[in-house]
């Protein structure tokens, strides 16, 4: 099912719960499976956490708008804010193979974000708004038939 | 995100429930820090009632792991559910921290 939804909240940690609930509800309306829903929740949470902790660091917390657009083939979630410019796709990759002594405590959020979606796109508009688009492809619909619930779990058994 | 701490044979067992994100991870970090600061560095973090964890939660667990090991102790994870386990794997946590299916196994895995 194709849908468009949006939510705007203050760029504060307490808003993260609302953003995840928004994704959960919109994903349900769009008929996404549990795994896709979880992946999108985590990706959006990490993106918003980054805006809250870094984008608006040392500034008055502004707002974050999250838009979800679901079509038959893909789901696009766009996170918009007016904080500092920052392209998560360009962030350094953490070294996950290192020993516990050398392992950084943080730095894994953007790695998780990138792992959860198929495409990450960042752009800023002339008015200083940052838009981070996360694209997740939906499982292909088999030719000549509609998808049955449970199809996607078939190869786990 | 309620957290309970219980002592079992010299091991601190933390049971966490709900979602661990950047809003709630500070509570987990504070409880873990209380344990390691008091010299209780044999830790089990039971995640069986946790349905969601973000990098903020992993940060708290990694900080406690380091503090515990530097003091000669360790931290084990117990009962992570499928989605949470997947996050732990993707973040490279399962290569650093011993993860067990049950709390009892995580406790028993500490040397006597």
């Amino acid at each position: 099912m194709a849908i468009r939804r949006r939510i705007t909240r203050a760029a504060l940690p307490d808003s993260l719960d609302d953003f995840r609930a928004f994704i959960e509800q919109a994903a349900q309306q769009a008929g996404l499976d549990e795994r896709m829903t979880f992946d999108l929740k985590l990706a959006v949470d990490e993106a918003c956490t980054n805006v809250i902790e870094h984008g608006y660091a040392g500034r008055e917390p502004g707002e974050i708008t999250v838009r979800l657009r679901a079509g038959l083939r893909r789901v696009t979630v766009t996170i918009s804010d007016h904080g500092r410019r920052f392209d998560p796709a360009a962030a350094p990759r953490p070294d996950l193979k290192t020993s516990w002594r050398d392992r950084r405590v943080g730095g894994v959020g953007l790695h998780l974000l990138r792992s959860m979606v198929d495409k990450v796109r960042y752009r800023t508009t002339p008015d200083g708004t940052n838009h981070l688009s996360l694209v997740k492809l939906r499982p292909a619909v088999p030719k000549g038939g509609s998808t049955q619930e449970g199809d996607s779990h078939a190869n786990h058994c | 995100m309620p957290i309970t701490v219980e002592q079992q044979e010299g091991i601190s067992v933390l049971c966490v429930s709900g979602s661990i994100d950047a809003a709630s991870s500070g509570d987990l970090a504070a409880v873990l820090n209380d344990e390691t600061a008091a010299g209780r560095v044999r830790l089990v973090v039971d995640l069986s009632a946790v349905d969601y964890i973000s990098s903020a939660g992993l940060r708290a667990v990694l900080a406690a792991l380091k503090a515990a090991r530097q003091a000669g102790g360790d931290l084990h994870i117990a009962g992570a559910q499928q989605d949470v386990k997947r996050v732990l794997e993707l973040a490279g946590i399962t290569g650093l921290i011993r993860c067990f299916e049950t709390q009892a196994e995580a406790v028993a895995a500490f040397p006597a």
Side-chain angles (χ1 to χ4, degrees), chain A residues 1 3 7 33 43 69 74 82 91 106 108 111 116-117 120 131 135-137 140 154:
Chain A
M1 189 182 157
I3 63 158
I7 182 176
D33 65 21
R69 201 171 66 235
R74 61 180 61 203
H82 296 92
V108 86
H111 164 71
M116 291 294 119
V117 295
V120 178
H131 299 283
V135 179
K136 196 142 175 80
L137 303 177

Side-chain angles (χ1 to χ4, degrees), chain A residues 13-14 16 20 35 38-39 41-42 45-46 49 53 96 98 100-101 103-106 108-109 111-112 116, chain B residues 19 21-23 51-55 58-59 62-63 65-66 69-70 83 86-87 90-93 96:
Chain A
D14 282 342
L16 293 170
R20 290 198 307 272
R35 172 139 176 178
F38 183 91
D39 290 0
K41 276 200 303 190
L42 183 57
D45 181 319
E46 296 294 354
T49 297
E53 292 183 349
L96 302 179
T98 184
W100 67 269
R101 284 177 208 279
R103 173 73 189 254
R104 277 184 62 208
V105 166
V108 86
H111 164 71
L112 287 178
M116 291 294 119
Chain B
S19 298
D21 64 6
D51 56 13
Y52 177 85
I53 190 165
S54 74
S55 64
L58 303 181
R59 208 151 57 193
L62 275 176
L65 171 80
K66 287 186 169 222
R69 286 196 183 158
Q70 275 158 7
D83 286 329
R86 194 154 60 88
V87 177
L90 281 168
I93 302 292
L96 290 177

Side-chain angles (χ1 to χ4, degrees), chain A residues 75-147:
Chain A
V75 182
T76 305
V77 182
T78 303
I79 295 113
S80 307
D81 67 272
H82 296 92
R84 278 183 198 84
R85 286 181 181 208
F86 179 73
D87 180 0
R93 291 174 191 276
D95 182 0
L96 302 179
K97 301 275 181 212
T98 184
S99 72
W100 67 269
R101 284 177 208 279
D102 298 328
R103 173 73 189 254
R104 277 184 62 208
V105 166
V108 86
L110 299 174
H111 164 71
L112 287 178
L113 183 163
R114 290 186 295 236
S115 307
M116 291 294 119
V117 295
D118 294 298
K119 206 183 282 180
V120 178
R121 233 177 10 229
Y122 172 80
R123 65 192 169 90
T124 53
T125 44
D127 68 347
T129 310
N130 307 301
H131 299 283
L132 182 70
S133 295
L134 312 174
V135 179
K136 196 142 175 80
L137 303 177
R138 302 184 73 162
V141 179
K143 274 182 189 166
S146 61
T147 46

Side-chain angles (χ1 to χ4, degrees), chain A residues 48-67:
Chain A
C48 292
T49 297
N50 198 59
V51 171
I52 293 164
E53 292 183 349
H54 304 293
Y56 286 113
R59 304 182 182 186
E60 281 289 305
E63 288 182 334
I64 300 176
T65 296
V66 177
R67 291 180 181 82

